[in-house]
Amino acid sequence: MTNRLRAQIEEEEEEQNLVVEEKPVKEIPDNYLFKYLTNKFSADSATRALPFILFIALLGMIYIANRNLAERNVRDIDKIGKQVNELSWEYKSIKAKLAFKSTISEVAKKVAADTLGLRQPEQPPQVLDAEEVQNEH
């Protein structure tokens, strides 16, 4: 043996004699629901249900994408409706301005302001009958 203290030798022996205690595994309570679920669902049944679960997930993603597309279309329709209203108001205002500018008094003001030499007739227009015109010739 080697020269070691008796205390060190005793400590090493005690360490070898120690028994490692394992923690007890928590037992799952035996209730009806747990028994039912363990009997119905196993690794094999989960593997068999995987394609169906993936199909349901795909349908969910399609549903979400469709809803987002529909909301975007509604926003676009609202935006286009506002543009139509604005263009309608612009059309009506331009039409009113044109109706005002095409009145006789406004046309007379424009003609008088131009340098074309046009003037408003002083006599009213004459009505000609077809018989009078033929008699003259």
Side-chain angles (χ1 to χ4, degrees):
M1 284 189 134
T2 61
N3 291 333
R4 291 186 291 172
L5 296 174
R6 186 176 287 205
Q8 288 177 348
I9 294 172
E10 288 176 0
E11 286 177 8
E12 289 177 4
E13 288 176 1
E14 286 178 14
E15 287 177 5
Q16 291 174 358
N17 292 336
L18 286 177
V19 177
V20 178
E21 292 183 25
E22 295 181 8
K23 291 184 178 180
V25 177
K26 289 185 179 179
E27 292 185 19
I28 300 173
D30 288 337
N31 59 17
Y32 179 73
L33 179 64
F34 180 72
K35 287 180 182 178
Y36 177 76
L37 291 176
T38 55
N39 289 339
K40 285 290 184 182
F41 300 109
S42 63
D44 185 43
S45 64
T47 305
R48 281 187 281 127
L50 190 61
F52 179 70
I53 292 170
L54 292 175
F55 176 71
I56 295 297
L58 176 69
L59 287 179
M61 291 178 3
I62 291 172
Y63 174 76
I64 291 169
N66 187 30
R67 181 170 176 107
N68 288 339
L69 180 66
E71 287 178 1
R72 187 179 319 127
N73 285 341
V74 167
R75 284 192 297 267
D76 289 344
I77 289 170
D78 288 342
K79 187 188 305 181
I80 291 171
K82 289 178 183 178
Q83 289 176 351
V84 166
N85 285 337
E86 289 176 8
L87 292 174
S88 173
W89 296 332
E90 185 178 352
Y91 165 75
K92 290 176 183 175
S93 66
I94 291 173
K95 185 176 176 183
K97 286 179 186 177
L98 178 65
F100 176 72
K101 288 183 179 181
S102 62
T103 58
I104 296 174
S105 60
E106 288 296 313
V107 171
K109 287 178 187 176
K110 289 285 185 181
V111 168
D114 287 340
T115 58
L116 296 176
L118 298 176
R119 57 184 170 83
Q120 190 170 1
E122 296 172 0
Q123 298 176 354
Q126 296 177 0
V127 178
L128 298 178
D129 290 330
E131 293 176 6
E132 290 178 11
V133 172
Q134 289 177 358
N135 291 339
E136 288 182 8
H137 292 297

